[in-house]
Amino acid sequence: MPTLLLKSQTTAWIEELPRHLPDLKVRHYPDIGDPAGIDYALVWLPPPGLLKSLPNLKVIFSLGAGVDHILADPELPAGIPIVRISDPHQCHLMSEYALLAVLYFHRAMPAILADQLQAKWTRRWPLYTPETAVGVLGLGEIGQDIARKLCAIGFPVHGWSRSPKRVDGITCHHGQAGLRAMLPLCRYIICVLPLTEATQGIIDAAFLQALPPGAFVINMGRGGHVVDKDLLAALDIGHIAGAFLDVFDVEPLPPAHPYWQHPKVVVTPHCAGDVVPRTAASAIVANIRRHLGGDKLHNVYQPDRGY
Ligand code: OXD
């Protein structure tokens, strides 16, 4: 009987997974039982050494689109495929968050909320939407969904990826030259990149300087994408007009971090997109079935690409 170890606070997986594969036994960390009996692991932030302690582990499933929380384990056993989650509802949530952040700035909500505190009736209008471009860094499933939805509400949308991509209605750029060409055009920039060696610290002083004055930064990728001191400096001199940040180098964001109190920063607690058992379980089980049947797994992390 295939057995899966779940390391998550979301207990709904325990019922949801066997609904799709009644033979599947789910053990909930820390109740591991006999480590040798575990075939699959479905994990978020596994404690270092946990995966190595499972001698018959065959596939690691990430409870996130990112796998950095698994790769951070210095004792990660080599040669075991890691599968990234693909959840249509998570994708939808991420797009909602991106729209919320863009529209929050675009419709001058920071100024309107400040006016309200002083009972000030000041009507404020956005820039002309069809001439106000948004750039999306990362054109995977989530980035493409965000780009399409922004496009549907009338923004010109640019997308950037490592290698060339085509997405209907989106102006696609790639590589370093593509990034240099895209940044000066974008009033809003949204990061949904995976965190890799190539993308670590991508939002640094040079990147921010390349954006037009008054641009806004939205980070829903990983904290490691942003060089915090460079973003804070760009906010303080007014080149960047605001930031909407969901992810941070250290989470929870420490109480003394300057982002918390910064008047131009919105901090949210890594809640842009959650993986929902009801919508994500079937794709996980489909991969378990593929594995049991000796077929190729879908959505496997590729070390050479870094995601
Ligand atoms: C993810 C996340 O990687 O929620 O999916 O951060």
Side-chain angles (χ1 to χ4, degrees), residues 46-89:
L50 171 66
L51 298 167
K52 187 179 154 194
S53 73
L54 310 173
N56 294 316
L57 186 62
K58 297 171 182 73
V59 183
I60 301 167
F61 292 94
S62 166
L63 262 174
V67 295
D68 48 308
H69 62 107
I70 294 171
L71 302 180
D73 178 353
E75 297 174 58
L76 182 66
I80 300 181
I82 303 175
V83 173
R84 297 183 303 127
I85 208 101
S86 163
D87 175 12
H89 191 66

Side-chain angles (χ1 to χ4, degrees), residues 14-220:
I14 299 169
E15 280 171 21
E16 198 59 42
L17 290 164
R19 272 198 338 106
H20 299 264
L21 184 59
D23 273 356
L24 185 71
K25 279 189 78 89
V26 180
R27 295 187 196 162
H28 193 198
Y29 179 86
D31 294 329
I32 298 180
D34 176 9
I38 291 170
D39 306 288
Y40 306 107
L42 175 61
V43 291
W44 178 259
L45 267 179
L50 171 66
L51 298 167
K52 187 179 154 194
S53 73
L54 310 173
N56 294 316
L57 186 62
K58 297 171 182 73
V59 183
I60 301 167
F61 292 94
S62 166
L63 262 174
V67 295
D68 48 308
H69 62 107
I70 294 171
L71 302 180
D73 178 353
E75 297 174 58
L76 182 66
I80 300 181
I82 303 175
V83 173
R84 297 183 303 127
I85 208 101
S86 163
D87 175 12
H89 191 66
Q90 184 191 33
C91 195
H92 179 80
L93 289 172
M94 294 289 278
S95 293
E96 276 182 3
Y97 183 98
L99 293 174
L100 168 75
V102 168
L103 293 176
Y104 174 80
F105 290 129
H106 193 56
R107 298 309 306 256
M109 284 311 293
I112 290 173
L113 293 173
D115 288 345
Q116 183 178 349
L117 290 177
Q118 299 178 53
K120 256 171 74 182
W121 183 273
T122 309
R123 299 178 80 209
R124 298 175 187 272
W125 302 111
L127 295 174
Y128 184 51
T129 304
E131 289 175 358
T132 308
V134 186
V136 180
L137 301 171
L139 285 177
E141 247 173 72
I142 292 171
Q144 290 194 25
D145 194 60
I146 292 172
R148 284 200 195 92
K149 286 176 178 158
L150 285 163
C151 196
I153 59 169
F155 288 97
V157 182
H158 296 262
W160 181 78
S161 51
R162 198 179 65 116
S163 48
K165 292 238 162 110
R166 286 175 70 119
V167 185
D168 277 354
I170 311 303
T171 310
C172 293
H173 308 257
H174 68 277
Q176 275 314 308
L179 189 61
R180 276 196 301 276
M182 180 179 99
L183 292 180
L185 308 174
C186 299
R187 167 79 40 181
Y188 305 100
I189 194 88
I190 302 173
C191 175
V192 283
L193 288 165
L195 188 63
T196 67
E197 262 175 41
T199 65
Q200 174 87 34
I202 188 170
I203 304 181
D204 62 4
F207 177 108
L208 295 164
Q209 195 50 45
L211 290 167
F216 296 90
V217 173
I218 296 155
N219 188 18
M220 326 163 43

